[in-house]
């Protein structure tokens, strides 16, 4: 039922089976005072209800990379047993499906980061600006795993390193030859003057 409701809410070119992020935000009595309240004291405020928000996961990762980045595969694992995969080509994510859809050839190149560590790393810059209710990091924690793809590999496999190495070597040889010629001319001049 949720999928049919989502289909009515999104544009026709999107897949209604794409993962949704569910955000449940409590409505507490005295919320204006709560904005200046230390986070430890939120548990003592009277609960009055909650606000439920569904966001397509793709909207959280859209435009997260430069437009020239291609072929990055993002696998999101949830401790609840669910996982899904997106391919990131520049600013556009493409839903590859549920489960881990990356090419196992690139297992040794994986970069993994638990969501709670991403939040903790950005906490120092956000502590002064975000004074809301703490984000729950215990219920169904997520881990982001990033892999390259064959397209990314082909974009980075080229002759550029060889060309740059040859050019640097030629510059070194040219500079050495000029120095040797200069040294020979100065030595010859010294012999003529003496």
């Amino acid at each position: 039922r949720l999928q049919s409701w989502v289909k009515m809410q999104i544009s026709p070119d999107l897949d209604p089976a794409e993962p949704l992020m569910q955000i449940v935000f409590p409505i507490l009595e005295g919320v204006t005072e709560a904005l200046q309240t230390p986070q430890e004291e939120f548990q003592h405020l009277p609960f009055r209800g909650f606000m439920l928000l569904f966001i397509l996961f793709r909207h959280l990762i859209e435009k997260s990379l430069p437009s020239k980045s291609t072929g990055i595969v993002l696998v999101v694992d949830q401790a609840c047993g669910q996982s899904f995969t997106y391919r990131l080509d520049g600013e556009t994510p493409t839903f590859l499906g549920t489960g881990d859809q990356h090419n196992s050839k690139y297992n040794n190149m994986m970069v993994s980061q638990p969501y709670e560590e991403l939040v903790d790393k950005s906490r120092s810059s956000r502590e002064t600006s975000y004074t809301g209710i703490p984000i729950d990091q215990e219920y169904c924690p997520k881990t982001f795993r990033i892999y390259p793809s064959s397209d990314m590999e082909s974009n980075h496999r080229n002759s550029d390193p060889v060309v740059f190495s040859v050019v640097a070597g030629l510059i070194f040889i040219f500079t050495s030859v000029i120095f040797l010629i200069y040294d020979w001319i100065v030595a010859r001049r010294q012999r003529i003057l003496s």
Side-chain angles (χ1 to χ4, degrees), residues 102-139:
H102 84 280
N103 185 338
S104 59
K105 171 184 173 185
Y106 301 107
N107 280 351
N108 62 329
M109 298 180 184
M110 175 197 60
V111 176
S112 177
Q113 191 76 41
Y115 174 73
E116 63 268 8
E117 288 182 23
L118 291 173
V119 171
D120 286 344
K121 284 184 180 177
S122 63
R123 183 171 297 220
S124 60
S125 64
R126 292 189 324 166
E127 270 183 342
T128 54
S129 61
Y130 178 70
T131 58
I133 295 171
I135 296 171
D136 179 22
Q137 299 173 9
E138 295 175 13
Y139 174 73

Side-chain angles (χ1 to χ4, degrees), residues 44-109:
H44 302 297
L45 295 173
F47 176 77
R48 296 295 175 232
F50 62 88
M51 178 176 60
L52 180 62
L53 176 67
F54 289 102
I55 301 174
L56 281 173
F57 185 80
R58 79 170 19 259
H59 294 313
L60 298 175
I61 57 176
E62 277 179 337
K63 300 181 182 176
S64 59
L65 294 176
S67 57
K68 293 185 179 183
S69 300
T70 58
I72 296 173
V73 178
L74 170 67
V75 178
V76 179
D77 289 320
Q78 300 182 68
C80 308
Q82 306 148 326
S83 64
F84 52 90
T85 306
Y86 276 91
R87 178 185 163 109
L88 305 172
D89 291 308
E91 299 177 348
T92 308
T94 305
F95 182 59
L96 298 180
T98 57
D100 186 345
Q101 305 289 328
H102 84 280
N103 185 338
S104 59
K105 171 184 173 185
Y106 301 107
N107 280 351
N108 62 329
M109 298 180 184

